[in-house]
Amino acid sequence: MSIRLLGIETSCDETAASVVDGGRAILSNVVASQADFHAQYGGVYPELASRMHVESITLVVEQALVAAHIGWDDLDAIAVTYGPGLPGSLLVGLNYAKGAALATGLPLVPVNHLEGHLYAHWLDTGAEGSASGNLRFPVLALIVSGGHTELVLVHDHGKYERLGGTLDDAAGEAFDKVARLLKLGYPGGPAVETAAEKGSPKAIDLPRAWLPGTYDFSFSGLKTAVLRVHQKYTGPVPQRFYADMAAAFQQSVVDVLVEKAGSAVKEFGPNALLLSGGVSANTALREAMRSAISVPVCTLPKVLCTDNAAMIAAAGFFRYQAGERAGWDLDIDPGLQLI
Ligand code: KG4
Ligand code: ZN
């Protein structure tokens, strides 16, 4: 019997809704990105993000139902992100979901955004390199996004052991800040990746924060090192510099992520490494992981790396199956952790 969940995601600057059947089959996946709008500010402008969610949410949810060829009566539950994220943005999705649950009588399932990034690997993607839910626990998960860098051992559904995380900037945040510094464009990750294609990673020597003996990360020193090298130019900066710096910076981030994930694979012997979050869309990272790691490295189509609601419906499905239901007192939790 099919169990269909409507997922709703508004934790940052994407208004997203999706219908997923059985936690695996994506019937629709609608994402309204505000990225072009926030580009003029070089980063997400929180107050405007929440206003734009208000403008888009009804239409995005309707589109998700239409694209899935179903109506509200065909749904079994509504899964919604309640944290972590921007407070104003989270409130829009959560309140919309509560209103819809009240009006339809559908149960409401609370979803942690980070768990959503992880459960994207249970979706049927049809893409090469994707697990599509064919996984045996334990698995190691690296969640690398604009807000988080988390290395987590997953022992079973919902059973997590956090090995480490960033002590300062998230990996995606470092990409965004460096892109802004070098005026490469927004969002920073894809802009740095494109610039790096024409550069040489060895042309500029940048530091790597190895933090030996831990599974923690630090990217703020790297960002400062980029700034220092850039400031050395008093006259015009040669065009070549931007490509080389993008390549050197990207390589530095990739080296650290690969080293830490590789050590964790050796120490804990997981059956696979799952790469999630916006930064996992990075081709250099995927390739470096695949050549260095001894277990299968599972990746996602880019649309499922960055924020989307299919992953929220997928995570919600497992919570729904476990009997989890939110009461009307469910509130946003902007600082929510995975464990
Ligand atoms: O998962 P996500 O959409 O949102 C958060 O939950 O934060 O991740 C967005 C982050 C941004 O920092 C963006 O610059 C980064 O992912 N990103 C990338 C790439 N595509 C997106 N970073 C490196 N390479 C990419 N190709
Ligand atoms: Zn995210």
Side-chain angles (χ1 to χ4, degrees):
M1 199 189 79
S2 76
I3 296 177
R4 291 171 183 152
L5 265 73
L6 169 69
I8 295 179
E9 154 65 38
T10 64
S11 68
C12 192
D13 63 338
E14 262 98 27
T15 317
S18 162
V19 179
V20 171
D21 196 344
R24 294 187 73 144
I26 303 173
L27 304 188
S28 65
N29 188 22
V30 180
V31 182
S33 175
Q34 304 171 3
D36 290 347
F37 181 79
H38 294 291
Q40 61 188 302
Y41 304 105
V44 178
Y45 194 136
E47 174 63 26
L48 294 176
S50 40
R51 286 194 205 181
M52 291 183 82
H53 284 308
V54 173
E55 282 167 17
S56 312
I57 185 91
T58 305
L59 196 60
V60 166
V61 170
E62 274 171 15
Q63 278 182 358
L65 293 175
V66 169
H69 304 293
I70 63 165
W72 288 98
D73 290 348
D74 305 305
L75 290 169
D76 294 278
I78 301 171
V80 63
T81 306
Y82 70 104
L86 299 170
S89 292
L90 287 165
L91 273 171
V92 178
L94 179 57
N95 282 321
Y96 185 92
K98 276 186 179 175
L102 187 65
T104 57
L106 288 167
L108 190 62
V109 183
V111 175
N112 180 323
H113 181 82
L114 294 171
E115 192 168 73
H117 274 302
L118 173 65
Y119 272 85
H121 288 278
W122 272 261
L123 291 164
D124 271 332
T125 72
E128 204 184 323
S130 284
S132 295
N134 298 313
L135 291 162
R136 257 182 331 114
F137 293 114
V139 292
L140 179 70
L142 178 65
I143 305 170
V144 269
S145 70
H148 296 270
T149 305
E150 299 276 319
L151 195 58
V152 181
L153 205 52
V154 185
H155 293 285
D156 204 340
H157 289 297
K159 290 212 175 74
Y160 309 120
E161 181 182 346
R162 185 177 185 271
L163 302 182
T166 185
L167 303 177
D168 39 56
D169 291 349
E173 192 179 353
F175 270 93
D176 293 335
K177 286 178 176 170
V178 164
R180 204 178 318 158
L181 195 89
L182 302 177
K183 298 194 171 56
L184 295 175
Y186 177 86
V192 169
E193 180 166 20
T194 305
E197 279 162 18
K198 298 192 190 81
S200 159
K202 294 205 175 92
I204 301 168
D205 195 23
L206 290 176
R208 277 124 179 94
W210 297 117
L211 306 182
T214 76
Y215 287 112
D216 287 330
F217 304 88
S218 168
F219 296 109
S220 73
L222 173 60
K223 176 194 64 195
T224 311
V226 172
L227 178 68
R228 293 240 168 82
V229 179
H230 188 230
Q231 280 172 339
K232 277 191 190 145
Y233 284 97
T234 44
V237 181
Q239 205 48 42
R240 170 101 216 148
F241 167 83
Y242 293 100
D244 286 342
M245 182 56 101
F249 163 78
Q250 179 174 270
Q251 191 63 51
S252 174
V253 175
V254 166
D255 284 353
V256 175
L257 294 175
V258 169
E259 160 69 22
K260 296 280 173 177
S263 302
V265 165
K266 278 195 200 105
E267 182 172 352
F268 300 100
N271 293 310
L273 169 66
L274 314 184
L275 299 184
S276 292
V279 181
S280 75
N282 188 281
T283 306
L285 176 66
R286 292 171 180 230
E287 285 176 356
M289 285 286 187
R290 287 220 161 88
S291 60
I293 305 279
S294 56
V295 295
V297 176
C298 305
T299 52
L300 296 160
K302 292 192 179 182
V303 68
L304 296 175
C305 292
T306 47
D307 289 350
N308 65 87
M311 69 184 198
I312 302 305
F317 174 78
F318 285 95
R319 296 274 165 194
Y320 175 83
Q321 292 287 74
E324 220 167 290
R325 307 287 183 266
W328 299 123
D329 58 347
L330 174 66
D331 199 359
I332 58 161
D333 189 347
L336 186 66
Q337 308 277 321
L338 189 57
I339 32 170

Short mmCIF file of all heavy atoms in Angstrom, two decimals, residues 4-9 15-21 25-32 56-72 74-75 96 308-310 313:
data_model
loop_
_atom_site.label_atom_id
_atom_site.label_comp_id
_atom_site.label_asym_id
_atom_site.label_seq_id
_atom_site.Cartn_x
_atom_site.Cartn_y
_atom_site.Cartn_z
N ARG A 4 1.78 8.25 0.98
CA ARG A 4 2.27 9.47 0.33
C ARG A 4 2.40 10.61 1.33
O ARG A 4 1.44 10.93 2.01
CB ARG A 4 1.32 9.88 -0.78
CG ARG A 4 1.34 8.93 -1.94
CD ARG A 4 0.23 9.28 -2.87
NE ARG A 4 0.20 8.34 -3.97
CZ ARG A 4 -0.90 8.04 -4.63
NH1 ARG A 4 -2.04 8.62 -4.34
NH2 ARG A 4 -0.86 7.18 -5.63
N LEU A 5 3.59 11.19 1.34
CA LEU A 5 3.82 12.34 2.20
C LEU A 5 4.08 13.59 1.37
O LEU A 5 4.78 13.52 0.34
CB LEU A 5 5.03 12.11 3.11
CG LEU A 5 4.70 11.57 4.52
CD1 LEU A 5 4.27 10.12 4.42
CD2 LEU A 5 5.90 11.70 5.44
N LEU A 6 3.48 14.69 1.82
CA LEU A 6 3.83 16.00 1.25
C LEU A 6 4.95 16.56 2.12
O LEU A 6 4.79 16.66 3.34
CB LEU A 6 2.62 16.94 1.31
CG LEU A 6 2.89 18.42 0.99
CD1 LEU A 6 3.24 18.61 -0.49
CD2 LEU A 6 1.68 19.29 1.36
N GLY A 7 6.09 16.87 1.53
CA GLY A 7 7.19 17.48 2.27
C GLY A 7 7.18 18.99 2.04
O GLY A 7 6.91 19.44 0.92
N ILE A 8 7.46 19.73 3.10
CA ILE A 8 7.54 21.20 2.98
C ILE A 8 8.85 21.66 3.61
O ILE A 8 9.17 21.29 4.73
CB ILE A 8 6.33 21.88 3.67
CG1 ILE A 8 5.02 21.50 2.94
CG2 ILE A 8 6.51 23.40 3.69
CD1 ILE A 8 3.76 22.09 3.55
N GLU A 9 9.60 22.49 2.85
CA GLU A 9 10.93 22.93 3.30
C GLU A 9 11.09 24.43 3.03
O GLU A 9 10.97 24.86 1.88
CB GLU A 9 11.99 22.11 2.55
CG GLU A 9 13.35 22.76 2.38
CD GLU A 9 14.10 23.00 3.67
OE1 GLU A 9 14.04 22.16 4.58
OE2 GLU A 9 14.76 24.05 3.77
N THR A 15 12.04 27.85 -1.31
CA THR A 15 10.68 27.45 -0.93
C THR A 15 10.43 26.15 -1.68
O THR A 15 10.44 26.15 -2.92
CB THR A 15 9.64 28.50 -1.36
OG1 THR A 15 10.12 29.80 -1.07
CG2 THR A 15 8.31 28.26 -0.66
N ALA A 16 10.23 25.05 -0.95
CA ALA A 16 10.15 23.76 -1.64
C ALA A 16 9.02 22.89 -1.11
O ALA A 16 8.71 22.89 0.08
CB ALA A 16 11.49 23.03 -1.48
N ALA A 17 8.40 22.16 -2.04
CA ALA A 17 7.36 21.19 -1.69
C ALA A 17 7.51 19.99 -2.61
O ALA A 17 7.91 20.12 -3.76
CB ALA A 17 5.98 21.81 -1.82
N SER A 18 7.19 18.82 -2.07
CA SER A 18 7.39 17.58 -2.84
C SER A 18 6.44 16.50 -2.34
O SER A 18 6.10 16.48 -1.16
CB SER A 18 8.85 17.14 -2.65
OG SER A 18 9.03 15.79 -3.01
N VAL A 19 6.02 15.64 -3.26
CA VAL A 19 5.24 14.47 -2.84
C VAL A 19 6.10 13.23 -3.07
O VAL A 19 6.65 13.04 -4.17
CB VAL A 19 3.91 14.36 -3.63
CG1 VAL A 19 3.14 13.11 -3.17
CG2 VAL A 19 3.06 15.61 -3.44
N VAL A 20 6.25 12.44 -2.02
CA VAL A 20 7.08 11.22 -2.10
C VAL A 20 6.25 10.03 -1.63
O VAL A 20 5.57 10.10 -0.61
CB VAL A 20 8.36 11.38 -1.24
CG1 VAL A 20 9.12 10.05 -1.15
CG2 VAL A 20 9.27 12.46 -1.83
N ASP A 21 6.31 8.97 -2.41
CA ASP A 21 5.56 7.76 -2.08
C ASP A 21 6.48 6.73 -1.42
O ASP A 21 7.56 6.43 -1.95
CB ASP A 21 4.99 7.18 -3.40
CG ASP A 21 3.90 6.16 -3.13
OD1 ASP A 21 3.78 5.68 -1.98
OD2 ASP A 21 3.15 5.85 -4.08
N ALA A 25 9.81 6.99 -3.76
CA ALA A 25 9.46 7.41 -5.13
C ALA A 25 9.06 8.88 -5.15
O ALA A 25 8.07 9.27 -4.53
CB ALA A 25 8.34 6.55 -5.66
N ILE A 26 9.83 9.69 -5.88
CA ILE A 26 9.53 11.12 -5.97
C ILE A 26 8.42 11.32 -7.00
O ILE A 26 8.63 11.11 -8.20
CB ILE A 26 10.79 11.92 -6.39
CG1 ILE A 26 11.94 11.67 -5.40
CG2 ILE A 26 10.48 13.42 -6.47
CD1 ILE A 26 13.27 12.29 -5.83
N LEU A 27 7.24 11.74 -6.55
CA LEU A 27 6.13 12.01 -7.49
C LEU A 27 6.20 13.44 -8.00
O LEU A 27 5.74 13.74 -9.09
CB LEU A 27 4.77 11.74 -6.82
CG LEU A 27 4.58 10.33 -6.22
CD1 LEU A 27 3.13 10.14 -5.76
CD2 LEU A 27 4.94 9.24 -7.24
N SER A 28 6.74 14.33 -7.18
CA SER A 28 6.98 15.71 -7.63
C SER A 28 8.03 16.32 -6.72
O SER A 28 8.20 15.89 -5.58
CB SER A 28 5.69 16.53 -7.56
OG SER A 28 5.27 16.68 -6.21
N ASN A 29 8.74 17.32 -7.23
CA ASN A 29 9.79 17.98 -6.44
C ASN A 29 9.93 19.42 -6.94
O ASN A 29 10.63 19.67 -7.91
CB ASN A 29 11.11 17.21 -6.59
CG ASN A 29 12.19 17.72 -5.64
OD1 ASN A 29 11.88 18.34 -4.62
ND2 ASN A 29 13.43 17.47 -5.98
N VAL A 30 9.22 20.33 -6.29
CA VAL A 30 9.19 21.72 -6.74
C VAL A 30 10.06 22.58 -5.82
O VAL A 30 9.91 22.53 -4.61
CB VAL A 30 7.73 22.27 -6.74
CG1 VAL A 30 7.69 23.72 -7.21
CG2 VAL A 30 6.84 21.39 -7.61
N VAL A 31 10.99 23.32 -6.42
CA VAL A 31 11.88 24.19 -5.65
C VAL A 31 11.84 25.59 -6.26
O VAL A 31 12.18 25.75 -7.43
CB VAL A 31 13.35 23.68 -5.66
CG1 VAL A 31 14.23 24.60 -4.80
CG2 VAL A 31 13.44 22.25 -5.17
N ALA A 32 11.39 26.58 -5.47
CA ALA A 32 11.45 27.97 -5.93
C ALA A 32 12.64 28.61 -5.22
O ALA A 32 12.60 28.85 -4.02
CB ALA A 32 10.16 28.70 -5.58
N SER A 56 5.50 32.71 -1.98
CA SER A 56 5.60 31.54 -2.86
C SER A 56 4.95 30.27 -2.34
O SER A 56 4.60 29.39 -3.13
CB SER A 56 7.08 31.19 -3.10
OG SER A 56 7.81 32.32 -3.44
N ILE A 57 4.83 30.13 -1.03
CA ILE A 57 4.52 28.80 -0.47
C ILE A 57 3.24 28.16 -1.01
O ILE A 57 3.23 26.99 -1.37
CB ILE A 57 4.53 28.85 1.10
CG1 ILE A 57 4.34 27.46 1.69
CG2 ILE A 57 3.50 29.77 1.68
CD1 ILE A 57 5.58 26.72 1.95
N THR A 58 2.17 28.95 -1.11
CA THR A 58 0.89 28.37 -1.56
C THR A 58 1.04 27.82 -2.97
O THR A 58 0.64 26.69 -3.27
CB THR A 58 -0.22 29.43 -1.51
OG1 THR A 58 -0.26 29.94 -0.18
CG2 THR A 58 -1.57 28.84 -1.86
N LEU A 59 1.64 28.61 -3.83
CA LEU A 59 1.81 28.20 -5.23
C LEU A 59 2.73 26.98 -5.35
O LEU A 59 2.45 26.05 -6.11
CB LEU A 59 2.38 29.37 -6.03
CG LEU A 59 2.27 29.26 -7.54
CD1 LEU A 59 0.82 29.15 -7.96
CD2 LEU A 59 2.92 30.47 -8.20
N VAL A 60 3.79 26.99 -4.59
CA VAL A 60 4.76 25.87 -4.65
C VAL A 60 4.10 24.56 -4.20
O VAL A 60 4.25 23.52 -4.84
CB VAL A 60 6.02 26.20 -3.79
CG1 VAL A 60 6.87 24.96 -3.56
CG2 VAL A 60 6.85 27.28 -4.48
N VAL A 61 3.31 24.62 -3.14
CA VAL A 61 2.62 23.40 -2.66
C VAL A 61 1.59 22.95 -3.70
O VAL A 61 1.51 21.76 -4.03
CB VAL A 61 1.96 23.65 -1.28
CG1 VAL A 61 1.06 22.47 -0.91
CG2 VAL A 61 3.02 23.85 -0.20
N GLU A 62 0.83 23.90 -4.24
CA GLU A 62 -0.16 23.53 -5.27
C GLU A 62 0.53 22.89 -6.47
O GLU A 62 0.06 21.89 -7.02
CB GLU A 62 -0.96 24.76 -5.72
CG GLU A 62 -2.15 24.99 -4.80
CD GLU A 62 -2.85 26.31 -5.05
OE1 GLU A 62 -2.60 26.93 -6.12
OE2 GLU A 62 -3.62 26.73 -4.18
N GLN A 63 1.64 23.45 -6.87
CA GLN A 63 2.39 22.88 -8.02
C GLN A 63 2.86 21.46 -7.71
O GLN A 63 2.83 20.60 -8.58
CB GLN A 63 3.61 23.75 -8.35
CG GLN A 63 3.25 24.95 -9.21
CD GLN A 63 4.50 25.77 -9.55
OE1 GLN A 63 5.60 25.45 -9.11
NE2 GLN A 63 4.31 26.82 -10.32
N ALA A 64 3.28 21.24 -6.47
CA ALA A 64 3.76 19.90 -6.10
C ALA A 64 2.62 18.88 -6.19
O ALA A 64 2.82 17.75 -6.65
CB ALA A 64 4.35 19.92 -4.69
N LEU A 65 1.42 19.28 -5.78
CA LEU A 65 0.27 18.37 -5.85
C LEU A 65 -0.13 18.13 -7.31
O LEU A 65 -0.37 17.00 -7.73
CB LEU A 65 -0.92 18.93 -5.06
CG LEU A 65 -0.73 19.00 -3.54
CD1 LEU A 65 -1.92 19.68 -2.87
CD2 LEU A 65 -0.52 17.61 -2.94
N VAL A 66 -0.17 19.20 -8.09
CA VAL A 66 -0.55 19.08 -9.51
C VAL A 66 0.45 18.19 -10.26
O VAL A 66 0.08 17.28 -10.99
CB VAL A 66 -0.65 20.48 -10.17
CG1 VAL A 66 -0.77 20.37 -11.68
CG2 VAL A 66 -1.84 21.25 -9.60
N ALA A 67 1.73 18.44 -10.03
CA ALA A 67 2.76 17.66 -10.73
C ALA A 67 2.73 16.19 -10.33
O ALA A 67 3.10 15.30 -11.10
CB ALA A 67 4.15 18.25 -10.44
N ALA A 68 2.27 15.91 -9.09
CA ALA A 68 2.18 14.52 -8.62
C ALA A 68 0.85 13.88 -9.06
O ALA A 68 0.62 12.70 -8.80
CB ALA A 68 2.30 14.47 -7.10
N HIS A 69 -0.02 14.69 -9.68
CA HIS A 69 -1.35 14.24 -10.13
C HIS A 69 -2.19 13.73 -8.97
O HIS A 69 -2.88 12.71 -9.09
CB HIS A 69 -1.24 13.16 -11.22
CG HIS A 69 -0.43 13.58 -12.39
ND1 HIS A 69 -0.83 14.57 -13.27
CD2 HIS A 69 0.80 13.17 -12.81
CE1 HIS A 69 0.10 14.76 -14.18
NE2 HIS A 69 1.11 13.92 -13.92
N ILE A 70 -2.12 14.42 -7.85
CA ILE A 70 -2.95 14.01 -6.71
C ILE A 70 -3.56 15.24 -6.04
O ILE A 70 -3.15 16.38 -6.30
CB ILE A 70 -2.15 13.21 -5.64
CG1 ILE A 70 -1.04 14.07 -5.02
CG2 ILE A 70 -1.59 11.92 -6.21
CD1 ILE A 70 -0.49 13.47 -3.75
N GLY A 71 -4.53 14.99 -5.17
CA GLY A 71 -5.13 16.06 -4.38
C GLY A 71 -4.82 15.83 -2.90
O GLY A 71 -4.19 14.82 -2.54
N TRP A 72 -5.28 16.74 -2.05
CA TRP A 72 -5.01 16.62 -0.60
C TRP A 72 -5.53 15.28 -0.05
O TRP A 72 -4.92 14.70 0.84
CB TRP A 72 -5.68 17.78 0.15
CG TRP A 72 -5.00 19.10 -0.07
CD1 TRP A 72 -5.38 20.07 -0.96
CD2 TRP A 72 -3.82 19.59 0.57
NE1 TRP A 72 -4.51 21.14 -0.90
CE2 TRP A 72 -3.55 20.88 0.04
CE3 TRP A 72 -2.97 19.09 1.55
CZ2 TRP A 72 -2.47 21.66 0.46
CZ3 TRP A 72 -1.89 19.87 1.98
CH2 TRP A 72 -1.64 21.13 1.43
N ASP A 74 -5.48 12.44 -1.28
CA ASP A 74 -4.62 11.28 -1.59
C ASP A 74 -3.36 11.23 -0.72
O ASP A 74 -2.55 10.32 -0.87
CB ASP A 74 -4.19 11.34 -3.07
CG ASP A 74 -5.39 11.42 -3.98
OD1 ASP A 74 -6.26 10.54 -3.87
OD2 ASP A 74 -5.48 12.37 -4.79
N LEU A 75 -3.22 12.22 0.15
CA LEU A 75 -2.02 12.25 1.01
C LEU A 75 -2.27 11.52 2.33
O LEU A 75 -3.42 11.41 2.78
CB LEU A 75 -1.64 13.70 1.33
CG LEU A 75 -1.07 14.55 0.19
CD1 LEU A 75 -1.02 16.02 0.60
CD2 LEU A 75 0.32 14.06 -0.21
N TYR A 96 2.45 27.19 7.62
CA TYR A 96 1.67 26.73 6.47
C TYR A 96 1.29 25.26 6.66
O TYR A 96 0.14 24.86 6.45
CB TYR A 96 2.46 26.89 5.16
CG TYR A 96 1.62 26.54 3.96
CD1 TYR A 96 0.88 27.51 3.29
CD2 TYR A 96 1.52 25.22 3.54
CE1 TYR A 96 0.07 27.17 2.21
CE2 TYR A 96 0.71 24.86 2.48
CZ TYR A 96 0.00 25.85 1.81
OH TYR A 96 -0.82 25.50 0.77
N ASN A 308 15.83 20.91 -0.70
CA ASN A 308 14.64 20.47 -1.45
C ASN A 308 13.68 19.84 -0.45
O ASN A 308 14.05 19.59 0.70
CB ASN A 308 15.07 19.46 -2.53
CG ASN A 308 15.63 18.19 -1.94
OD1 ASN A 308 14.90 17.25 -1.63
ND2 ASN A 308 16.95 18.15 -1.72
N ALA A 309 12.46 19.57 -0.88
CA ALA A 309 11.47 19.02 0.05
C ALA A 309 11.30 17.51 -0.11
O ALA A 309 10.70 16.87 0.76
CB ALA A 309 10.13 19.72 -0.14
N ALA A 310 11.85 16.94 -1.20
CA ALA A 310 11.76 15.47 -1.36
C ALA A 310 12.51 14.80 -0.20
O ALA A 310 12.06 13.81 0.36
CB ALA A 310 12.34 15.05 -2.70
N ALA A 313 10.36 14.85 2.86
CA ALA A 313 9.32 13.82 2.82
C ALA A 313 9.93 12.44 3.06
O ALA A 313 9.32 11.58 3.71
CB ALA A 313 8.60 13.86 1.47
#
